[in-house]
Amino acid sequence: MTLSHWRRALAWLLAWALVAAVGAGWLAHARLLALEDAFVTDARIVHRLLSQRAVQHDAVMAMLPLLQPPAEGQGSSIAMPLPRLPAAYPQIAQVLRRLPGSAWPADLPAALGSALDAAEARSRHSGHAELAQADLPRGRAWLALAGPADQAADHALLLDLHATIPWDEWPMDAQTSPVRVRLQYQGQAFGVQAGRRLAHGWHYGFHKLLASQSQPFDVVLERDVGWSELPWGPMLAWAAASAAALAALRALLRQRVAARRAEELLRLGQVARLNQLGELAAGMAHELNQPLTALLASTQAAQRLLDEEEPDLDTARHAMGQAVAQARRASAVVGRLRRVVERPDLSGQAQALALPAAVHDALHLLEPELRRRGIAVQVDAPADLPAVRAEPVALQQIIHNLVMNALQAMEQSEAGQRRLRLALVQQGSRVLLSVRDTGPGVAPEARARLFTPFYTTRPGGLGLGLSLSESLAQAMGGELSLAPPAAADGAGAEFHLLLPLAHQP
Ligand code: ADP
C-alpha cells in the first residue's frame, strides 16, 4: 500500500514537473523570440545607416570632377591634395587629384600607388568609384575614381571609418549593448561596437553587404544571449502557481475519494448492519414477547389445574388450546421475519466480472484502514485470468468481509508481522480467490462453527459476516470455505472463495 502511495505521489510530482517545464519553456521561448526580434530590427537599422554613409561617399566621389581645379595645379606632373571638404564630411581624411599624365605623390607607399592605378583602371571600365586598398583594422580605406573623359583628372579619396559611424542615429547604446558590430572585407575586420561574447547560451547572427558598389564591406552583427537573460521571475512564479494548482486539485480529488469511500463503507459496513439488526431484534423481541408471555401463562395454568387432587381437565384442555394458539402466533412472527431476512436468488443477477478488479476495489476502499494498521498487502493474479460469473454487490460484500476479518484477526500480531495475501488462480471451471492473513488462525474446535450465524469470538462481534458471505457465495453458484491449516506453519487463517467461470469451457 505504501508503495502505491509513493508511486502516486511520484506521478503527481512528474505531472507538476511536466506542467512547470512546459510553461517555463514557453516563457523562455517567448523571451528569446522577443530578443531575436529586437536584434534583427537593430541589425537592419545599422545596415541601413552604414549603407547611407557609403552611398554618401560615392556621391562625394562623383562630385569631385566637377570641382574647379586650382590653376597652379594645371600641367603638374604630381597629383595634389584638394582643399579640405566641408566639415560635413569628417570621415573623408584626404582627397588627391591627378591630372592626365601626372604621377601619384612620391610619399605614397609604392603598393598604394599601384593599387590606386589598378582601381582606376577598373573604375574607367565600370564608370563608378572602386575600392583601391582597405586597412580595416586601422579603419582606413582608399577609393579611386577615373576621370570621366580621357583628358579629365582622376581622384583618390581616403576614408576614415571611425568617423563614418552615425552615433547620433545609432539604435543601441554603444557602451552597454551586448551586440557586436563590425565591418568585414577579405578576412579583415573593423570593429564598430565591442558588445559582449559568451561561451554558453543562444547565438543570433546577421550579415549583409553594404549597399554600395565602391565599398563592398560586409556588415556583421552578433548577439549572445546568456542564461541570466531568461525571464526567471515569471518562470519561477509559473512553477509555484502550477504547484499550488496541482496541490489544490489533488486535495480536491482526495476529498472526493475519501467521501465516496466513506459512503461505500457505510453501505457495506458494520454500522449500517448493526443498526438494521438492532432494529430488527428490538421489533422481534417486541412481537414475540406477547405470545410467549401468554403461552407461559396458559401452560402454567394448565400445569396448576393438572396438579390438583381432582384435575379440571376441561379447563386444562382449554388452557393448552390457548397455549398452542400462542405458540402458532410466535411461529408466524418468526416465519414472517425469515421471509424478510431471506436472501433472494442472486444467480439471475450474476454477470461476467473481472475478479482482480473486484479485489482491487475492495482493497481501495479499505486502503486507509490498511495503512493505519501497517499491513503489507500482496495480490497475486495471473494477467490472463478469465472472467467469473458473480453479482457485483454480493461479491464486494464477501471480499470486504473476508478482508475485514483478516484485519481484525491481525490486531494482536506484531506490527512488522501483519501481512495480507490475496491470490487468484483458475481451478478447472472455477476461479479460486484465497485470502490469507498472519493472525492467530482458527482454533480446531472453532472450525466447525465458524459459518453458523451468531458465532463470534470477538467482543462486539455479531457473528454474521461469514454466514452471510457463505450464503451469498452459494446464491451465486459458488462456495466459501476455511482452508485446512497449512502443514508447515500453523499461523494465520486462509479462506477460499470459489466462483464459476463466466464462460464455461
Ligand atoms: P464477526 O466478525 O462479527 O465475529 P464473522 O462471522 O465474520 O463474525 O466471524 C466469525 C468468527 O470467525 C470470528 O469471531 C472469529 O473468531 C472467526 N474468524 C473469522 N475470520 C477469521 C480470521 N481471519 N482469523 C481468525 N479467526 C477468524
Side-chain angles (χ1 to χ4, degrees), residues 35 37-53 164-181 192-193 206 219-221 223:
L35 287 176
D37 247 23
F39 167 76
V40 170
T41 306
D42 286 350
R44 291 215 178 103
I45 294 174
V46 164
H47 178 262
R48 179 170 53 77
L49 289 175
L50 294 179
S51 292
Q52 279 168 358
R53 284 304 170 104
T164 308
I165 315 302
W167 293 117
D168 48 339
E169 294 171 70
W170 204 243
M172 296 164 272
D173 181 340
Q175 303 308 317
T176 59
S177 168
V179 178
R180 302 193 295 278
V181 184
V192 178
Q193 181 174 290
F206 174 96
V219 181
V220 179
L221 284 93
R223 159 85 155 104

Side-chain angles (χ1 to χ4, degrees), residues 410-425:
M410 285 191 282
E411 244 154 31
Q412 287 100 358
S413 314
E414 268 180 57
Q417 298 299 313
R418 298 176 183 172
R419 285 192 303 277
L420 176 66
R421 176 173 181 257
L422 292 98
L424 298 169
V425 64

Side-chain angles (χ1 to χ4, degrees), residues 405-406 408-409 437 441-442 450 455-458 461-467 493 495:
N405 277 349
Q408 285 157 354
D437 60 57
V442 181
L450 224 50
Y455 171 77
T456 180
T457 59
R458 280 194 310 112
L462 282 171
L464 286 174
L466 285 178
S467 67
F495 286 86

Side-chain angles (χ1 to χ4, degrees), residues 463-489:
L464 286 174
L466 285 178
S467 67
L468 175 72
S469 299
E470 186 188 33
S471 51
L472 288 175
Q474 284 167 354
M476 294 189 292
E479 219 174 274
L480 179 65
S481 60
L482 174 67
D489 56 307

